[in-house]
Amino acid sequence: MLATLLVAILVLLAERMLRVVDLVIGWRGSLLVIFEMLGYLVPHYMGLALPAAFFIGILMVVSRLSREGELDAIMAAGSGLPQLVRPLAAVAVLLVIVNMALVGFLQPYSRFAYRAAAQAVTNASFLTLLREGVFTSLDRTTAMVTRMSDAKDSFEGIFIFTAAENGDEVAITAATGSVTSAGATAPIEISLTRGVQQAVPARVDDRQPPPDSITLRFGAFQTSVTDRRSGQLAPRGENERELTLTELFAARDDPPPHIDPWEIEAELGGRLVRSLSSPLLPLLAVPLAVGRRRTHRSYGLAIGLAVLIAYNQILAAGERLVDNNEIGAALGLWVPFAVFAGLCFWLYVRRAYGVPRHAGESRLDAALDRLGASLRRVATTR
């Protein structure tokens, strides 16, 4: 289980690592910042990988017991699958507690910490990118200074050009300026003195002449130069995904003004359903791991992973529908959970208390053998 968990986390982090490296290196950040931001992502991916690793671990162990005949010896001694499932169920209960701590409390804080780190890297990097006599672009803003102090907190001969999304363009020149920042996550503010601001409104119709520009001379002026995609960092809790479980429960009756009630229901229901699904994993893994006698194939791992992936996709789709207020949380989340629980209990009871069939090969084995023989004949004739 631990080996599978480690491999799964590394695989899940690999894709996000490319984006983190592109962000940090693009803004000339250090290697330490990369590992820091990846560390904030570990709780999120841990919540996804931990149940899957537990499920695969059970499948591998029970499959080996069955394949090597040890499960037959256990049953011959008077024990059965119920006795085998008991310690696995105890581990599953412990897994629920760990998963609740991850998705309920650690993930909201780590998600906000990742967003704050990305904001800090972007903002702090503007000063790093500035060079005397060199045009520096940040999103839709281009800036250049003639001279700057060694600390990069005061400038001379400043030029700033900004193009808005609606087509408006603003150019500012100033004799001197200084940088003020309220913190690593706040936008960088530049105070300018003795300058000129020229604004050119966007052209509404290409067939009309360009609008007149507006020129303003100022003695003191303040503007922000930062990435428009980030802007001012919102406090934790502006998004329902950054709320803890206790905060989500409290927000059900009194949701924040920026979050709709159905968004709270979708986030709360999704976390609870995924956490409460962990005790069902042994009931699904053990029946799939117990193979048929005298057969050389085992389909438990493939079938089990397919069921888990389909279940996760159904929950994700249901969560999106609930989040969009198209269906209720009971139908979108708890009904799939009940169906999945019923499937797990049915497979377990059927395998633990049912009479096994004859010890020959299954129909699926025979069908695959016939298909393989047909393919070999076709390849030989060609």
Side-chain angles (χ1 to χ4, degrees):
M1 172 181 169
L2 294 178
T4 306
L5 180 63
L6 178 62
V7 172
I9 291 179
L10 292 177
V11 171
L12 292 172
L13 283 175
E15 185 271 338
R16 182 60 67 91
M17 183 176 63
L18 297 177
R19 283 184 280 175
V20 172
V21 170
D22 181 67
L23 173 66
V24 176
I25 300 300
W27 299 118
R28 301 187 183 181
S30 64
L31 185 63
L32 184 62
V33 177
I34 296 177
F35 287 107
E36 178 186 354
M37 296 182 67
L38 289 177
Y40 293 141
L41 296 174
V42 170
H44 170 68
Y45 291 126
M46 181 78 75
L48 297 175
L50 192 58
F54 179 56
F55 178 79
I56 293 175
I58 296 175
L59 268 173
M60 295 177 66
V61 170
V62 179
S63 177
R64 182 172 180 178
L65 289 176
S66 176
R67 185 174 61 254
E68 298 183 356
E70 296 180 78
L71 189 59
D72 294 333
I74 293 175
M75 292 183 176
S79 298
L81 293 185
Q83 288 75 18
L84 185 65
V85 168
R86 287 175 187 172
L88 300 177
V91 177
V93 172
L94 179 62
L95 189 64
V96 171
I97 299 175
V98 174
N99 209 18
M100 282 285 190
L102 281 174
V103 303
F105 301 95
L106 192 56
Q107 282 185 12
Y109 284 100
S110 64
R111 189 183 300 275
F112 174 75
Y114 176 83
R115 188 161 58 89
Q119 177 89 2
V121 168
T122 303
N123 284 346
S125 300
F126 173 73
L127 298 179
T128 305
L129 294 173
L130 273 181
R131 295 289 186 273
E132 292 183 355
V134 177
F135 289 97
T136 301
S137 296
L138 179 65
D139 194 28
R140 295 177 177 269
T141 300
T142 301
M144 188 197 70
V145 296
T146 304
R147 283 184 296 273
M148 68 174 63
S149 63
D150 294 336
K152 293 187 176 182
D153 56 356
S154 61
F155 313 96
E156 295 181 5
I158 302 168
F159 169 79
I160 299 176
F161 174 81
T162 301
E165 294 183 357
N166 60 357
D168 295 342
E169 296 178 347
V170 178
I172 302 175
T173 59
T176 60
S178 61
V179 173
T180 58
S181 178
T185 59
I188 295 177
E189 299 290 337
I190 297 183
S191 300
L192 306 175
T193 58
R194 305 194 312 275
V196 177
Q197 179 189 33
Q198 187 176 38
V200 180
R203 183 183 297 184
V204 179
D205 192 347
D206 294 337
R207 294 172 295 182
Q208 297 179 356
D212 297 333
S213 62
I214 302 173
T215 303
L216 172 68
R217 297 183 181 275
F218 58 85
F221 185 80
Q222 192 174 45
T223 183
S224 62
V225 181
T226 186
D227 192 346
R228 294 172 182 266
R229 294 167 297 180
S230 55
Q232 177 70 40
L233 180 68
R236 189 187 66 84
E238 291 291 320
N239 189 293
E240 68 274 6
R241 303 182 70 182
E242 295 179 357
L243 296 176
T244 63
L245 273 180
T246 54
E247 292 170 343
L248 285 174
F249 274 108
R252 294 181 63 189
D253 300 327
D254 186 20
H258 51 275
I259 303 178
D260 296 318
W262 49 85
E263 294 177 339
I264 298 292
E265 291 292 334
E267 184 66 22
L268 180 60
R271 295 190 198 181
L272 292 177
V273 164
R274 285 183 169 84
S275 297
L276 295 178
S277 298
S278 298
L280 303 174
L281 296 180
L283 303 181
L284 176 65
V286 170
L288 292 177
V290 178
R292 296 175 61 86
R293 302 298 180 270
R294 299 177 186 173
T295 181
H296 55 281
R297 296 188 181 94
S298 178
Y299 312 101
L301 181 60
I303 295 175
L305 291 178
V307 170
L308 284 187
I309 293 173
Y311 177 60
N312 183 71
Q313 293 300 317
I314 292 173
L315 288 182
E319 194 170 352
R320 286 193 298 268
L321 292 175
V322 176
D323 188 74
N324 295 330
N325 198 26
E326 297 182 12
I327 59 175
L331 178 62
L333 295 172
W334 293 104
V335 168
F337 172 75
V339 173
F340 179 71
L343 174 64
C344 294
F345 277 103
W346 175 75
L347 288 175
Y348 170 72
V349 171
R350 180 172 176 270
R351 176 65 69 176
Y353 300 103
V355 178
R357 294 183 179 180
H358 60 276
E361 290 189 341
S362 65
R363 295 178 180 176
L364 183 59
D365 285 326
L368 290 176
D369 288 337
R370 288 194 298 268
L371 178 61
S374 301
L375 293 177
R376 284 193 295 270
R377 284 196 301 269
V378 171
T380 302
T381 55
R382 289 185 179 181

